[in-house]
Amino acid sequence: MNVLAISGSLRKKSYNTALLRAAQKLAPEMGIEILDYSAVPIFNQDVEESAYPEVVTDIRGKITVADAVLFAVPEFNRTPAGSLKNLIDWLSRPDYKLWNQKPVGIVGASSGPRGASFAQYDVRRIMSYFNARTMGQPEFYCGNDEDGEFDAEMNLVDPKTTDVFKKFLAALSEHIKK
Ligand SMILES: Cc1cc2nc3c(=O)[nH]c(=O)nc-3n(C[C@H](O)[C@H](O)[C@H](O)COP(=O)(O)O)c2cc1C
């Protein structure tokens, strides 16, 4: 299996990227690769038409061959972080056919208790527009209200959250196989 994982956060100590690293450890059989899209420019239709970025072409290629895409979505002001929205906008141009029937999993981590629930739903909405095959259940919300989900090295250490996340990944694996 080959799963492309996209963290909506570019910062080093990102809870969302840490979740994806935990997924790599918890489900090695899923072949999870974490995408580096730090070189993707701000979307501008003039740039799209005059000098379509090679980095976006490469990412489109990775999504096309991936068995699934796993998003970890940070929530900024009750919506997905702009860095992720920017990437998704690029990945809808010149068309969003690459998403058609693509299996998708969505998780999210926030520093508050809600686990980026609003932002996760926004990404579900976009994926539905793209006709992707997003897993509906189970959902996974990682709230970090200073109760020790992660250690200082950003390893997922909370046993209950780890167990729930493992179950999410097992369900996603089945969703992809179907
Ligand atoms: C500009 C900004 C807006 C935020 N708005 C929200 C919000 O609406 N809801 C929420 O749960 N957390 C919000 N947060 C806190 C984020 O959940 C927190 O920074 C989180 O750790 C970001 O994800 P990351 O750790 O993967 O970078 C906000 C943070 C920033 C910087």
Side-chain angles (χ1 to χ4, degrees):
M1 200 176 278
N2 154 25
V3 174
L4 189 66
I6 301 179
S7 166
S9 175
L10 299 173
R11 72 184 183 118
K12 284 195 191 90
K13 287 203 116 186
S14 159
Y15 290 125
N16 284 283
T17 307
L19 259 189
L20 296 179
R21 277 198 225 101
Q24 287 177 314
K25 282 190 198 146
L26 293 170
E29 71 286 354
M30 291 179 79
I32 297 173
E33 178 198 347
I34 301 176
L35 180 72
D36 177 0
Y37 62 95
S38 50
V40 171
I42 302 272
F43 183 80
N44 176 333
Q45 217 170 332
D46 293 340
V47 176
E48 183 206 348
E49 286 160 13
S50 62
Y52 195 95
E54 209 178 312
V55 61
V56 179
T57 305
D58 291 348
I59 295 171
R60 287 178 67 90
K62 276 177 184 277
I63 291 176
T64 301
V65 300
D67 294 316
V69 174
L70 171 60
F71 285 102
V73 183
E75 182 172 295
F76 285 3
N77 302 313
R78 302 296 188 262
T79 56
S83 44
L84 179 60
K85 179 64 166 56
N86 182 63
L87 175 66
I88 292 174
D89 288 342
W90 271 115
L91 296 175
S92 70
R93 304 294 285 183
D95 59 62
Y96 45 80
K97 282 185 208 143
L98 76 168
W99 292 103
N100 190 39
Q101 295 301 315
K102 182 67 66 182
V104 166
I106 299 173
V107 298
S110 68
S111 57
R114 284 175 303 273
S117 56
F118 292 103
Q120 287 199 47
Y121 264 89
D122 285 337
V123 175
R124 277 179 195 277
R125 198 154 53 94
I126 300 168
M127 289 300 127
S128 157
Y129 173 60
F130 290 168
N131 210 27
R133 200 161 63 78
T134 306
M135 182 170 76
Q137 295 290 339
E139 299 170 318
F140 183 79
Y141 303 102
C142 183
N144 292 286
D145 35 5
E146 297 180 1
D147 55 355
E149 303 291 327
F150 296 90
D151 67 13
E153 279 76 47
M154 301 303 284
N155 298 301
L156 183 63
V157 288
D158 180 76
K160 194 171 167 208
T161 305
T162 303
D163 189 48
V164 175
F165 193 34
K166 244 182 165 167
K167 286 181 179 140
F168 174 92
L169 293 167
L172 181 61
S173 199
E174 287 309 305
H175 178 77
I176 295 165
K177 287 178 198 154
K178 277 185 214 149

